[in-house]
Amino acid sequence: MKSLDDTIAAISTPLGQGGIGIVRMSGPEALPIARRLFRPSRGRADAPWPAFRLRHGFIVDPATGARVDEVLAAYMPAPRTYTRQDIVEINGHGGIVALRRILELALREGARLAEPGEFTLRAFVNGRMDLAQAEAVLDIVNAQTDAALRLAVGQLEGRLSGEVRAVRERLVAALVYLEATIDFVEDEIPPQDIGPALREAADAIRGLLRGADQGIVYRQGIRTAIVGRPNVGKSSLLNALLRTDRAIVTPIPGTTRDTLEETLNLQGVPFVLVDTAGIAGATADPVEQLGIERSRRAVRQADLVLVVVDGSEPLRPEDRAIAELTEGRAAIVVINKCDLPTVADVTEFLPSAPRVRISALTGEGLDNLRAAMLELALGGEAMASNGILVGSVRHKEALARALDHVEKAEATYRQGLPADFVTIDLRAALDALGEITGQTVTPDLLDNIFANFCIGK
Ligand SMILES: Nc1nc2c(ncn2[C@@H]2O[C@H](COP(=O)(O)OP(=O)(O)OP(=O)(O)O)[C@@H](O)[C@H]2O)c(=O)[nH]1
Ligand SMILES: [Mg+2]
């Protein structure tokens, strides 16, 4: 793992032109480096730097004395900071060139460029937050809807961690008792029934797992591919759902040649809509062929497929070929152009999928389509407003493993097997739960988690 004692620096605001941009430094050298670069507009440069206050001044290249930017700078001494280390933040004008210059100067003066998520990694390692909370920081940055944000903030506040800890404490108490019975002769410790504690722990984990599929949906969204043969109205449907003219629509088959993605927020669930090139039978056009290959890939990667057919025409062999592509996936048959007389007979078409008749042109039926999409995504339930929803596949997987071990421990305990049999599973369950909060975590896992962060966070 990277050294935690280096002083790291990064541009912490998005790249591009903005009103302000922030260069952040964390580590023991943050203040000395800042002192070498910063000239206050008032007071002496060598006077003590006031803590937790914004100071106005200039960043100056110490080698040339040239002014680089006019800034507001703040020094936050350890330990009451994000990383629990000394932090200096320099708020420059948002231009990317000036921010890069400030960062370069900080690096030249001895800082090291921060890796993705390294500030938050330090916050975790230095005990300011546990792992689930650190991951919540990433989720807050990435939240696409209010609901996803609410979940992430709840997790940052430690609600999931608190619940997981409570379960761990129960299991630890049971483990301590069992180990005592192994280590001491029976009559030295009062007998205790740990059955109820194991059952309660299992119930609590089951409760967390129950909401996990929904939580993951809110957090990660639903990849929704819109597929169909050319000209059935896929792009029109995308536009109608988004209420924009995002995609080009023409009466010419083969208008959309590449996939196009846009996020739709339906009651807090982010649906990543993917408009695709119409899948035709045989085509000689190489561009069209590539587009069609992408459409097939979009179906393979989708959580949900909207299979669009033109209701004003009989179904064609291509429609059936497309239907076959969706096998094994959640799909909705969207019968479009219902403002025209209906001709298509869809009774035999993807018989197990729900079907919705719409007109992308007039907007008719779109409410039913939205309802059907939500139904498939959430199984008909809305998010519990105060419940804890596990929103990450990683957490869900760890919980499932923990539950498995607790159930095994319960079974061996009830069979009256020697305590060692039970403690093996209790330890494994504790390890699995510890992966969520970070109490038991491997460096590889940490690297994996923090690699998803952006630099400067
Ligand atoms: N009457 C009627 N026409 C529609 C409807 N939806 C789309 N159209 C028309 O159908 C034609 C094709 O629409 P697009 O949205 O471009 O179809 P597409 O499936 O994206 O086509 P490709 O990109 O070529 O695969 C356009 O002329 C649309 O105006 C509808 O609900 N009713
Ligand atoms: Mg199109």
Side-chain angles (χ1 to χ4, degrees), residues 276-295:
T276 63
I279 299 177
T283 167
D285 181 346
V287 179
E288 214 170 302
Q289 274 172 5
L290 286 173
I292 290 173
E293 190 38 52
R294 288 198 173 187
S295 304

Side-chain angles (χ1 to χ4, degrees), residues 180-260:
T181 65
I182 297 170
D183 293 343
F184 300 96
V185 244
E186 291 234 345
D187 46 287
E188 274 180 39
I189 41 166
Q192 199 179 315
D193 180 12
I194 61 160
L198 296 184
R199 197 173 47 241
E200 280 163 30
D203 282 346
I205 299 174
R206 273 186 216 109
L208 287 172
L209 277 171
R210 214 168 294 132
D213 289 326
Q214 264 195 34
I216 291 167
V217 162
Y218 277 105
R219 179 169 161 273
Q220 303 193 337
I222 300 274
R223 267 191 91 75
T224 308
I226 305 176
V227 296
R229 62 179 169 77
N231 232 29
V232 293
K234 299 178 295 298
S235 301
S236 304
L237 172 58
L238 176 93
N239 289 345
L241 285 171
L242 294 171
R243 299 188 173 89
T244 61
D245 281 333
R246 181 68 182 82
I248 298 174
V249 168
T250 76
I252 306 161
T255 303
T256 307
R257 302 200 132 201
D258 201 351
T259 51
L260 183 160

Side-chain angles (χ1 to χ4, degrees), residues 256-324:
T256 307
R257 302 200 132 201
D258 201 351
T259 51
L260 183 160
E261 281 185 34
E262 203 67 55
T263 301
L264 168 72
N265 175 353
L266 285 187
Q267 293 181 21
V269 177
F271 286 86
V272 181
L273 301 179
V274 187
D275 182 21
T276 63
I279 299 177
T283 167
D285 181 346
V287 179
E288 214 170 302
Q289 274 172 5
L290 286 173
I292 290 173
E293 190 38 52
R294 288 198 173 187
S295 304
R296 291 179 196 277
R297 197 186 324 145
V299 172
R300 283 197 298 272
Q301 294 172 343
D303 304 308
L304 170 65
V305 185
L306 304 183
V307 183
V308 186
V309 297
D310 183 340
S312 70
E313 291 180 3
L315 290 182
R316 297 190 200 167
E318 295 101 287
D319 291 311
R320 294 183 213 287
I322 291 161
E324 276 166 26

Side-chain angles (χ1 to χ4, degrees), residues 371-395:
M373 290 166 70
L374 278 171
E375 169 75 31
L376 280 183
L378 298 178
E381 289 168 57
M383 176 161 75
S385 59
N386 54 358
I388 304 165
L389 279 193
V390 172
S392 123
V393 176
R394 186 181 90 74
H395 296 168

